[in-house]
Amino acid sequence: MDFELTEELTMVRDMARTFADEVLAPRATKADRDGFIDPEVFAKIGELGLWGLTIPEAYGGAGMGNLALSLVLEELNRACASTGVTVSVHNSLLGAPIKRHGTEEQKKRWMPKLATGEVLGCYCLTEPNAGSDAGALRTTAVLDGDEWVIDGTKIWVTNGGIAGLAIVYVRTDPSASNSKGISAIVVPMDTKGVTVGKPEKKTGIRGSSTTEVVFEGVRVPKDHLLGGLNRGFPIALETLDGGRIGIASQAVGIAQACLDRAVKYSKEREQFGQPIAEFQAIQWKLADMATRIDASRALVHKAAWLRDRDERCTREAAEAKMFASQTANFCADEALQIHGGAGYTDDFDIERLFRDARITEIYEGATDIQRIVIARAVLA
């Protein structure tokens, strides 16, 4: 693995960095307070080609890989985690499985609109009784002639309120136990019987759309099945490898933002006749934050590099997600401590970053699940 970025990767990272600094950062606090992202931001993301960053050029995308997406997501999340997770889910949880498992007809039908952002995507896996144990899902799909009839409820759907297309994981063989008998079906969100619930009131990433989605007698054509009958659970797990790299990238971005603000504040804040950055206690906090961020970034890039080579990266994605999410929360805590009481108010960005960091240890598989995945790989 070459640690030096190619000219192309450097260009796309710098483009995302400029966009994040000039467009996202000034709007981040407002998005957090309003609970939604300005549609103008989505339009600009489309103009930059970031909705279709990993979609092949043949379908209107940029044709880049997971490392490029990781670099972009770090920059976006450094400025606004709500926008960052929206782009991550669209690319890694909706676009990637269609690219990897879709038929040519399915790719031609959906990918061009996904690439431009005309249609945004969401991923419907989690249910009230199926979180970490996703194989226990109860949403069903029954074949009736040439149509699938879907019934069930999904929760914690990121992009649920703004998406036009969903991949829904359903039980197509009720007699099969646990994770067997599950399939993936692509469902346009404007299909009759699809109902989007109220937005969730969250601790952090408040600008992103998170909703319940209910399916009641939803009928979609038979050819909306993705990747084969009863092959949905392996697709879900393989897709989560990419999703975890995306959230790990988000965590690195949040952690970097915390360090940046801690450095700035420690140079400006004076106590006992000098900037607090001159005190060893503060310097050690900054050193620990910087080291963990560098280590997290290396883990993320390795996992993304492996995925771009079509090599198995389940362990590496889990390691990156676990360590980077812990780093984000560590850095948020230390940065807030450096800010003192001021950091506990919303006058400073660190208050928002502290809240945004927490979710990174929960979604796309909680830290405890990552440990299980890593341990199984170590013991294999």
Side-chain angles (χ1 to χ4, degrees), residues 307-340:
R307 191 165 172 82
D308 283 338
R309 292 163 62 90
D310 286 327
E311 294 185 27
R312 184 176 176 83
C313 64
T314 300
R315 171 180 172 174
E316 290 79 5
E319 289 175 343
K321 201 273 186 183
M322 181 184 75
F323 192 77
S325 62
Q326 290 175 324
T327 294
N329 281 277
F330 173 83
C331 291
D333 187 66
E334 291 288 67
L336 194 150
Q337 194 71 17
I338 289 171
H339 281 71

PDB file of all heavy atoms in Angstrom, residues 307-340:
ATOM      1  N   ARG A 307     -10.939  -3.051  -0.172  1.00  0.00           N
ATOM      2  CA  ARG A 307     -12.247  -3.150  -0.837  1.00  0.00           C
ATOM      3  C   ARG A 307     -12.135  -2.735  -2.302  1.00  0.00           C
ATOM      4  O   ARG A 307     -12.795  -3.319  -3.166  1.00  0.00           O
ATOM      5  CB  ARG A 307     -13.266  -2.289  -0.104  1.00  0.00           C
ATOM      6  CG  ARG A 307     -14.720  -2.528  -0.558  1.00  0.00           C
ATOM      7  CD  ARG A 307     -15.688  -1.939   0.451  1.00  0.00           C
ATOM      8  NE  ARG A 307     -17.070  -1.960  -0.009  1.00  0.00           N
ATOM      9  CZ  ARG A 307     -17.883  -3.014   0.062  1.00  0.00           C
ATOM     10  NH1 ARG A 307     -17.442  -4.139   0.588  1.00  0.00           N
ATOM     11  NH2 ARG A 307     -19.124  -2.949  -0.369  1.00  0.00           N
ATOM     12  N   ASP A 308     -11.306  -1.758  -2.581  1.00  0.00           N
ATOM     13  CA  ASP A 308     -11.102  -1.352  -3.969  1.00  0.00           C
ATOM     14  C   ASP A 308     -10.435  -2.446  -4.792  1.00  0.00           C
ATOM     15  O   ASP A 308     -10.573  -2.481  -6.017  1.00  0.00           O
ATOM     16  CB  ASP A 308     -10.259  -0.071  -4.037  1.00  0.00           C
ATOM     17  CG  ASP A 308     -11.073   1.171  -3.703  1.00  0.00           C
ATOM     18  OD1 ASP A 308     -12.307   1.118  -3.828  1.00  0.00           O
ATOM     19  OD2 ASP A 308     -10.472   2.191  -3.325  1.00  0.00           O
ATOM     20  N   ARG A 309      -9.687  -3.338  -4.125  1.00  0.00           N
ATOM     21  CA  ARG A 309      -9.038  -4.456  -4.803  1.00  0.00           C
ATOM     22  C   ARG A 309      -9.932  -5.693  -4.832  1.00  0.00           C
ATOM     23  O   ARG A 309      -9.494  -6.781  -5.230  1.00  0.00           O
ATOM     24  CB  ARG A 309      -7.726  -4.787  -4.084  1.00  0.00           C
ATOM     25  CG  ARG A 309      -6.661  -3.708  -4.232  1.00  0.00           C
ATOM     26  CD  ARG A 309      -5.557  -3.857  -3.188  1.00  0.00           C
ATOM     27  NE  ARG A 309      -4.843  -5.122  -3.302  1.00  0.00           N
ATOM     28  CZ  ARG A 309      -3.758  -5.321  -4.048  1.00  0.00           C
ATOM     29  NH1 ARG A 309      -3.254  -4.310  -4.745  1.00  0.00           N
ATOM     30  NH2 ARG A 309      -3.154  -6.490  -4.080  1.00  0.00           N
ATOM     31  N   ASP A 310     -11.184  -5.533  -4.391  1.00  0.00           N
ATOM     32  CA  ASP A 310     -12.140  -6.643  -4.306  1.00  0.00           C
ATOM     33  C   ASP A 310     -11.635  -7.775  -3.421  1.00  0.00           C
ATOM     34  O   ASP A 310     -11.927  -8.953  -3.649  1.00  0.00           O
ATOM     35  CB  ASP A 310     -12.489  -7.180  -5.699  1.00  0.00           C
ATOM     36  CG  ASP A 310     -13.405  -6.248  -6.462  1.00  0.00           C
ATOM     37  OD1 ASP A 310     -14.239  -5.595  -5.813  1.00  0.00           O
ATOM     38  OD2 ASP A 310     -13.275  -6.157  -7.692  1.00  0.00           O
ATOM     39  N   GLU A 311     -10.859  -7.412  -2.407  1.00  0.00           N
ATOM     40  CA  GLU A 311     -10.398  -8.383  -1.427  1.00  0.00           C
ATOM     41  C   GLU A 311     -11.287  -8.301  -0.187  1.00  0.00           C
ATOM     42  O   GLU A 311     -11.849  -7.261   0.125  1.00  0.00           O
ATOM     43  CB  GLU A 311      -8.942  -8.110  -1.042  1.00  0.00           C
ATOM     44  CG  GLU A 311      -7.952  -8.310  -2.180  1.00  0.00           C
ATOM     45  CD  GLU A 311      -6.515  -8.157  -1.731  1.00  0.00           C
ATOM     46  OE1 GLU A 311      -6.241  -8.406  -0.536  1.00  0.00           O
ATOM     47  OE2 GLU A 311      -5.668  -7.804  -2.575  1.00  0.00           O
ATOM     48  N   ARG A 312     -11.423  -9.410   0.501  1.00  0.00           N
ATOM     49  CA  ARG A 312     -12.241  -9.443   1.711  1.00  0.00           C
ATOM     50  C   ARG A 312     -11.681  -8.461   2.738  1.00  0.00           C
ATOM     51  O   ARG A 312     -10.468  -8.452   3.006  1.00  0.00           O
ATOM     52  CB  ARG A 312     -12.268 -10.852   2.296  1.00  0.00           C
ATOM     53  CG  ARG A 312     -13.186 -10.996   3.508  1.00  0.00           C
ATOM     54  CD  ARG A 312     -13.246 -12.440   3.968  1.00  0.00           C
ATOM     55  NE  ARG A 312     -14.048 -12.604   5.173  1.00  0.00           N
ATOM     56  CZ  ARG A 312     -15.362 -12.723   5.194  1.00  0.00           C
ATOM     57  NH1 ARG A 312     -16.029 -12.716   4.054  1.00  0.00           N
ATOM     58  NH2 ARG A 312     -16.016 -12.873   6.323  1.00  0.00           N
ATOM     59  N   CYS A 313     -12.536  -7.645   3.311  1.00  0.00           N
ATOM     60  CA  CYS A 313     -12.073  -6.625   4.261  1.00  0.00           C
ATOM     61  C   CYS A 313     -12.965  -6.545   5.486  1.00  0.00           C
ATOM     62  O   CYS A 313     -13.022  -5.509   6.154  1.00  0.00           O
ATOM     63  CB  CYS A 313     -11.994  -5.261   3.571  1.00  0.00           C
ATOM     64  SG  CYS A 313     -13.594  -4.633   3.004  1.00  0.00           S
ATOM     65  N   THR A 314     -13.682  -7.637   5.789  1.00  0.00           N
ATOM     66  CA  THR A 314     -14.612  -7.620   6.919  1.00  0.00           C
ATOM     67  C   THR A 314     -13.911  -7.285   8.223  1.00  0.00           C
ATOM     68  O   THR A 314     -14.379  -6.437   8.997  1.00  0.00           O
ATOM     69  CB  THR A 314     -15.325  -8.978   7.040  1.00  0.00           C
ATOM     70  OG1 THR A 314     -16.045  -9.234   5.824  1.00  0.00           O
ATOM     71  CG2 THR A 314     -16.290  -8.984   8.211  1.00  0.00           C
ATOM     72  N   ARG A 315     -12.770  -7.951   8.484  1.00  0.00           N
ATOM     73  CA  ARG A 315     -12.034  -7.666   9.708  1.00  0.00           C
ATOM     74  C   ARG A 315     -11.493  -6.241   9.702  1.00  0.00           C
ATOM     75  O   ARG A 315     -11.628  -5.512  10.693  1.00  0.00           O
ATOM     76  CB  ARG A 315     -10.885  -8.661   9.865  1.00  0.00           C
ATOM     77  CG  ARG A 315      -9.931  -8.302  11.001  1.00  0.00           C
ATOM     78  CD  ARG A 315      -8.797  -9.303  11.129  1.00  0.00           C
ATOM     79  NE  ARG A 315      -7.788  -8.855  12.089  1.00  0.00           N
ATOM     80  CZ  ARG A 315      -6.752  -9.588  12.483  1.00  0.00           C
ATOM     81  NH1 ARG A 315      -6.590 -10.814  12.000  1.00  0.00           N
ATOM     82  NH2 ARG A 315      -5.873  -9.101  13.360  1.00  0.00           N
ATOM     83  N   GLU A 316     -10.901  -5.845   8.588  1.00  0.00           N
ATOM     84  CA  GLU A 316     -10.287  -4.519   8.504  1.00  0.00           C
ATOM     85  C   GLU A 316     -11.320  -3.407   8.624  1.00  0.00           C
ATOM     86  O   GLU A 316     -11.060  -2.382   9.261  1.00  0.00           O
ATOM     87  CB  GLU A 316      -9.504  -4.392   7.203  1.00  0.00           C
ATOM     88  CG  GLU A 316      -8.242  -5.228   7.124  1.00  0.00           C
ATOM     89  CD  GLU A 316      -8.502  -6.695   6.796  1.00  0.00           C
ATOM     90  OE1 GLU A 316      -9.671  -7.060   6.535  1.00  0.00           O
ATOM     91  OE2 GLU A 316      -7.536  -7.491   6.807  1.00  0.00           O
ATOM     92  N   ALA A 317     -12.498  -3.610   8.016  1.00  0.00           N
ATOM     93  CA  ALA A 317     -13.559  -2.605   8.131  1.00  0.00           C
ATOM     94  C   ALA A 317     -14.048  -2.498   9.570  1.00  0.00           C
ATOM     95  O   ALA A 317     -14.311  -1.396  10.074  1.00  0.00           O
ATOM     96  CB  ALA A 317     -14.717  -2.958   7.203  1.00  0.00           C
ATOM     97  N   ALA A 318     -14.151  -3.643  10.243  1.00  0.00           N
ATOM     98  CA  ALA A 318     -14.588  -3.638  11.640  1.00  0.00           C
ATOM     99  C   ALA A 318     -13.555  -2.974  12.536  1.00  0.00           C
ATOM    100  O   ALA A 318     -13.894  -2.215  13.457  1.00  0.00           O
ATOM    101  CB  ALA A 318     -14.864  -5.066  12.111  1.00  0.00           C
ATOM    102  N   GLU A 319     -12.268  -3.260  12.286  1.00  0.00           N
ATOM    103  CA  GLU A 319     -11.207  -2.626  13.072  1.00  0.00           C
ATOM    104  C   GLU A 319     -11.215  -1.110  12.886  1.00  0.00           C
ATOM    105  O   GLU A 319     -11.090  -0.348  13.855  1.00  0.00           O
ATOM    106  CB  GLU A 319      -9.846  -3.196  12.665  1.00  0.00           C
ATOM    107  CG  GLU A 319      -9.620  -4.626  13.119  1.00  0.00           C
ATOM    108  CD  GLU A 319      -8.314  -5.209  12.602  1.00  0.00           C
ATOM    109  OE1 GLU A 319      -7.742  -4.647  11.641  1.00  0.00           O
ATOM    110  OE2 GLU A 319      -7.861  -6.225  13.158  1.00  0.00           O
ATOM    111  N   ALA A 320     -11.360  -0.690  11.637  1.00  0.00           N
ATOM    112  CA  ALA A 320     -11.378   0.742  11.341  1.00  0.00           C
ATOM    113  C   ALA A 320     -12.575   1.416  11.997  1.00  0.00           C
ATOM    114  O   ALA A 320     -12.451   2.482  12.612  1.00  0.00           O
ATOM    115  CB  ALA A 320     -11.413   0.968   9.827  1.00  0.00           C
ATOM    116  N   LYS A 321     -13.729   0.780  11.882  1.00  0.00           N
ATOM    117  CA  LYS A 321     -14.948   1.372  12.437  1.00  0.00           C
ATOM    118  C   LYS A 321     -14.879   1.440  13.949  1.00  0.00           C
ATOM    119  O   LYS A 321     -15.232   2.466  14.568  1.00  0.00           O
ATOM    120  CB  LYS A 321     -16.150   0.546  11.970  1.00  0.00           C
ATOM    121  CG  LYS A 321     -17.487   1.288  12.026  1.00  0.00           C
ATOM    122  CD  LYS A 321     -18.140   1.176  13.374  1.00  0.00           C
ATOM    123  CE  LYS A 321     -19.520   1.800  13.369  1.00  0.00           C
ATOM    124  NZ  LYS A 321     -20.163   1.760  14.690  1.00  0.00           N
ATOM    125  N   MET A 322     -14.425   0.366  14.588  1.00  0.00           N
ATOM    126  CA  MET A 322     -14.351   0.351  16.044  1.00  0.00           C
ATOM    127  C   MET A 322     -13.367   1.403  16.563  1.00  0.00           C
ATOM    128  O   MET A 322     -13.711   2.221  17.415  1.00  0.00           O
ATOM    129  CB  MET A 322     -13.929  -1.032  16.545  1.00  0.00           C
ATOM    130  CG  MET A 322     -13.848  -1.123  18.070  1.00  0.00           C
ATOM    131  SD  MET A 322     -13.251  -2.718  18.685  1.00  0.00           S
ATOM    132  CE  MET A 322     -11.484  -2.585  18.306  1.00  0.00           C
ATOM    133  N   PHE A 323     -12.146   1.394  16.032  1.00  0.00           N
ATOM    134  CA  PHE A 323     -11.112   2.275  16.568  1.00  0.00           C
ATOM    135  C   PHE A 323     -11.389   3.734  16.229  1.00  0.00           C
ATOM    136  O   PHE A 323     -11.221   4.621  17.073  1.00  0.00           O
ATOM    137  CB  PHE A 323      -9.740   1.870  16.030  1.00  0.00           C
ATOM    138  CG  PHE A 323      -8.604   2.535  16.748  1.00  0.00           C
ATOM    139  CD1 PHE A 323      -8.199   2.096  17.999  1.00  0.00           C
ATOM    140  CD2 PHE A 323      -7.941   3.624  16.192  1.00  0.00           C
ATOM    141  CE1 PHE A 323      -7.159   2.720  18.682  1.00  0.00           C
ATOM    142  CE2 PHE A 323      -6.902   4.254  16.856  1.00  0.00           C
ATOM    143  CZ  PHE A 323      -6.508   3.800  18.107  1.00  0.00           C
ATOM    144  N   ALA A 324     -11.830   4.005  15.000  1.00  0.00           N
ATOM    145  CA  ALA A 324     -12.094   5.383  14.602  1.00  0.00           C
ATOM    146  C   ALA A 324     -13.265   5.974  15.381  1.00  0.00           C
ATOM    147  O   ALA A 324     -13.239   7.147  15.778  1.00  0.00           O
ATOM    148  CB  ALA A 324     -12.359   5.466  13.105  1.00  0.00           C
ATOM    149  N   SER A 325     -14.304   5.188  15.625  1.00  0.00           N
ATOM    150  CA  SER A 325     -15.458   5.704  16.374  1.00  0.00           C
ATOM    151  C   SER A 325     -15.080   5.968  17.837  1.00  0.00           C
ATOM    152  O   SER A 325     -15.513   6.963  18.432  1.00  0.00           O
ATOM    153  CB  SER A 325     -16.637   4.732  16.290  1.00  0.00           C
ATOM    154  OG  SER A 325     -16.323   3.475  16.856  1.00  0.00           O
ATOM    155  N   GLN A 326     -14.263   5.093  18.406  1.00  0.00           N
ATOM    156  CA  GLN A 326     -13.777   5.350  19.760  1.00  0.00           C
ATOM    157  C   GLN A 326     -12.891   6.597  19.790  1.00  0.00           C
ATOM    158  O   GLN A 326     -12.938   7.384  20.745  1.00  0.00           O
ATOM    159  CB  GLN A 326     -12.998   4.139  20.273  1.00  0.00           C
ATOM    160  CG  GLN A 326     -13.875   2.925  20.554  1.00  0.00           C
ATOM    161  CD  GLN A 326     -13.065   1.708  20.956  1.00  0.00           C
ATOM    162  OE1 GLN A 326     -11.958   1.478  20.464  1.00  0.00           O
ATOM    163  NE2 GLN A 326     -13.609   0.912  21.861  1.00  0.00           N
ATOM    164  N   THR A 327     -12.099   6.772  18.750  1.00  0.00           N
ATOM    165  CA  THR A 327     -11.246   7.955  18.644  1.00  0.00           C
ATOM    166  C   THR A 327     -12.076   9.225  18.552  1.00  0.00           C
ATOM    167  O   THR A 327     -11.753  10.245  19.179  1.00  0.00           O
ATOM    168  CB  THR A 327     -10.320   7.835  17.425  1.00  0.00           C
ATOM    169  OG1 THR A 327      -9.405   6.755  17.643  1.00  0.00           O
ATOM    170  CG2 THR A 327      -9.537   9.116  17.183  1.00  0.00           C
ATOM    171  N   ALA A 328     -13.149   9.186  17.765  1.00  0.00           N
ATOM    172  CA  ALA A 328     -14.009  10.367  17.639  1.00  0.00           C
ATOM    173  C   ALA A 328     -14.566  10.779  18.992  1.00  0.00           C
ATOM    174  O   ALA A 328     -14.583  11.972  19.343  1.00  0.00           O
ATOM    175  CB  ALA A 328     -15.145  10.090  16.659  1.00  0.00           C
ATOM    176  N   ASN A 329     -15.025   9.807  19.770  1.00  0.00           N
ATOM    177  CA  ASN A 329     -15.586  10.122  21.083  1.00  0.00           C
ATOM    178  C   ASN A 329     -14.503  10.553  22.069  1.00  0.00           C
ATOM    179  O   ASN A 329     -14.728  11.457  22.882  1.00  0.00           O
ATOM    180  CB  ASN A 329     -16.361   8.916  21.615  1.00  0.00           C
ATOM    181  CG  ASN A 329     -17.725   8.789  20.986  1.00  0.00           C
ATOM    182  OD1 ASN A 329     -18.677   9.441  21.405  1.00  0.00           O
ATOM    183  ND2 ASN A 329     -17.838   7.974  19.947  1.00  0.00           N
ATOM    184  N   PHE A 330     -13.327   9.942  21.985  1.00  0.00           N
ATOM    185  CA  PHE A 330     -12.205  10.353  22.831  1.00  0.00           C
ATOM    186  C   PHE A 330     -11.818  11.807  22.537  1.00  0.00           C
ATOM    187  O   PHE A 330     -11.649  12.626  23.446  1.00  0.00           O
ATOM    188  CB  PHE A 330     -11.009   9.430  22.592  1.00  0.00           C
ATOM    189  CG  PHE A 330      -9.744   9.864  23.277  1.00  0.00           C
ATOM    190  CD1 PHE A 330      -9.513   9.556  24.608  1.00  0.00           C
ATOM    191  CD2 PHE A 330      -8.779  10.597  22.592  1.00  0.00           C
ATOM    192  CE1 PHE A 330      -8.350   9.966  25.255  1.00  0.00           C
ATOM    193  CE2 PHE A 330      -7.613  11.011  23.221  1.00  0.00           C
ATOM    194  CZ  PHE A 330      -7.397  10.697  24.555  1.00  0.00           C
ATOM    195  N   CYS A 331     -11.690  12.122  21.261  1.00  0.00           N
ATOM    196  CA  CYS A 331     -11.283  13.475  20.865  1.00  0.00           C
ATOM    197  C   CYS A 331     -12.347  14.508  21.207  1.00  0.00           C
ATOM    198  O   CYS A 331     -12.025  15.629  21.627  1.00  0.00           O
ATOM    199  CB  CYS A 331     -10.962  13.514  19.371  1.00  0.00           C
ATOM    200  SG  CYS A 331      -9.462  12.606  18.922  1.00  0.00           S
ATOM    201  N   ALA A 332     -13.615  14.135  21.037  1.00  0.00           N
ATOM    202  CA  ALA A 332     -14.696  15.055  21.380  1.00  0.00           C
ATOM    203  C   ALA A 332     -14.680  15.358  22.880  1.00  0.00           C
ATOM    204  O   ALA A 332     -14.859  16.509  23.304  1.00  0.00           O
ATOM    205  CB  ALA A 332     -16.043  14.473  20.972  1.00  0.00           C
ATOM    206  N   ASP A 333     -14.453  14.330  23.681  1.00  0.00           N
ATOM    207  CA  ASP A 333     -14.412  14.510  25.129  1.00  0.00           C
ATOM    208  C   ASP A 333     -13.217  15.369  25.544  1.00  0.00           C
ATOM    209  O   ASP A 333     -13.358  16.300  26.348  1.00  0.00           O
ATOM    210  CB  ASP A 333     -14.336  13.141  25.805  1.00  0.00           C
ATOM    211  CG  ASP A 333     -14.463  13.238  27.320  1.00  0.00           C
ATOM    212  OD1 ASP A 333     -15.539  13.628  27.800  1.00  0.00           O
ATOM    213  OD2 ASP A 333     -13.466  12.935  28.011  1.00  0.00           O
ATOM    214  N   GLU A 334     -12.037  15.082  24.993  1.00  0.00           N
ATOM    215  CA  GLU A 334     -10.850  15.844  25.343  1.00  0.00           C
ATOM    216  C   GLU A 334     -10.937  17.289  24.854  1.00  0.00           C
ATOM    217  O   GLU A 334     -10.529  18.224  25.559  1.00  0.00           O
ATOM    218  CB  GLU A 334      -9.604  15.167  24.743  1.00  0.00           C
ATOM    219  CG  GLU A 334      -9.247  13.828  25.380  1.00  0.00           C
ATOM    220  CD  GLU A 334      -8.676  13.964  26.776  1.00  0.00           C
ATOM    221  OE1 GLU A 334      -9.415  14.377  27.687  1.00  0.00           O
ATOM    222  OE2 GLU A 334      -7.479  13.674  26.953  1.00  0.00           O
ATOM    223  N   ALA A 335     -11.475  17.470  23.653  1.00  0.00           N
ATOM    224  CA  ALA A 335     -11.597  18.828  23.113  1.00  0.00           C
ATOM    225  C   ALA A 335     -12.573  19.663  23.935  1.00  0.00           C
ATOM    226  O   ALA A 335     -12.339  20.846  24.181  1.00  0.00           O
ATOM    227  CB  ALA A 335     -12.041  18.775  21.654  1.00  0.00           C
ATOM    228  N   LEU A 336     -13.667  19.030  24.360  1.00  0.00           N
ATOM    229  CA  LEU A 336     -14.622  19.761  25.196  1.00  0.00           C
ATOM    230  C   LEU A 336     -13.984  20.112  26.537  1.00  0.00           C
ATOM    231  O   LEU A 336     -14.174  21.214  27.064  1.00  0.00           O
ATOM    232  CB  LEU A 336     -15.896  18.935  25.402  1.00  0.00           C
ATOM    233  CG  LEU A 336     -17.103  19.700  25.958  1.00  0.00           C
ATOM    234  CD1 LEU A 336     -18.398  19.081  25.459  1.00  0.00           C
ATOM    235  CD2 LEU A 336     -17.106  19.737  27.477  1.00  0.00           C
ATOM    236  N   GLN A 337     -13.190  19.188  27.077  1.00  0.00           N
ATOM    237  CA  GLN A 337     -12.513  19.449  28.343  1.00  0.00           C
ATOM    238  C   GLN A 337     -11.543  20.628  28.208  1.00  0.00           C
ATOM    239  O   GLN A 337     -11.432  21.461  29.112  1.00  0.00           O
ATOM    240  CB  GLN A 337     -11.757  18.193  28.796  1.00  0.00           C
ATOM    241  CG  GLN A 337     -11.294  18.228  30.243  1.00  0.00           C
ATOM    242  CD  GLN A 337     -12.456  18.111  31.229  1.00  0.00           C
ATOM    243  OE1 GLN A 337     -13.552  17.703  30.862  1.00  0.00           O
ATOM    244  NE2 GLN A 337     -12.213  18.488  32.477  1.00  0.00           N
ATOM    245  N   ILE A 338     -10.850  20.701  27.078  1.00  0.00           N
ATOM    246  CA  ILE A 338      -9.933  21.818  26.830  1.00  0.00           C
ATOM    247  C   ILE A 338     -10.696  23.139  26.756  1.00  0.00           C
ATOM    248  O   ILE A 338     -10.233  24.176  27.235  1.00  0.00           O
ATOM    249  CB  ILE A 338      -9.127  21.566  25.546  1.00  0.00           C
ATOM    250  CG1 ILE A 338      -8.111  20.439  25.782  1.00  0.00           C
ATOM    251  CG2 ILE A 338      -8.410  22.840  25.069  1.00  0.00           C
ATOM    252  CD1 ILE A 338      -7.407  19.959  24.526  1.00  0.00           C
ATOM    253  N   HIS A 339     -11.887  23.091  26.184  1.00  0.00           N
ATOM    254  CA  HIS A 339     -12.718  24.298  26.100  1.00  0.00           C
ATOM    255  C   HIS A 339     -13.316  24.685  27.450  1.00  0.00           C
ATOM    256  O   HIS A 339     -13.748  25.830  27.635  1.00  0.00           O
ATOM    257  CB  HIS A 339     -13.857  24.094  25.094  1.00  0.00           C
ATOM    258  CG  HIS A 339     -13.456  24.250  23.663  1.00  0.00           C
ATOM    259  ND1 HIS A 339     -12.664  23.338  23.004  1.00  0.00           N
ATOM    260  CD2 HIS A 339     -13.741  25.220  22.754  1.00  0.00           C
ATOM    261  CE1 HIS A 339     -12.486  23.727  21.754  1.00  0.00           C
ATOM    262  NE2 HIS A 339     -13.124  24.881  21.568  1.00  0.00           N
ATOM    263  N   GLY A 340     -13.379  23.723  28.374  1.00  0.00           N
ATOM    264  CA  GLY A 340     -13.965  24.006  29.684  1.00  0.00           C
ATOM    265  C   GLY A 340     -15.454  24.294  29.588  1.00  0.00           C
ATOM    266  O   GLY A 340     -16.152  23.769  28.730  1.00  0.00           O
TER     267      GLY A 340
END
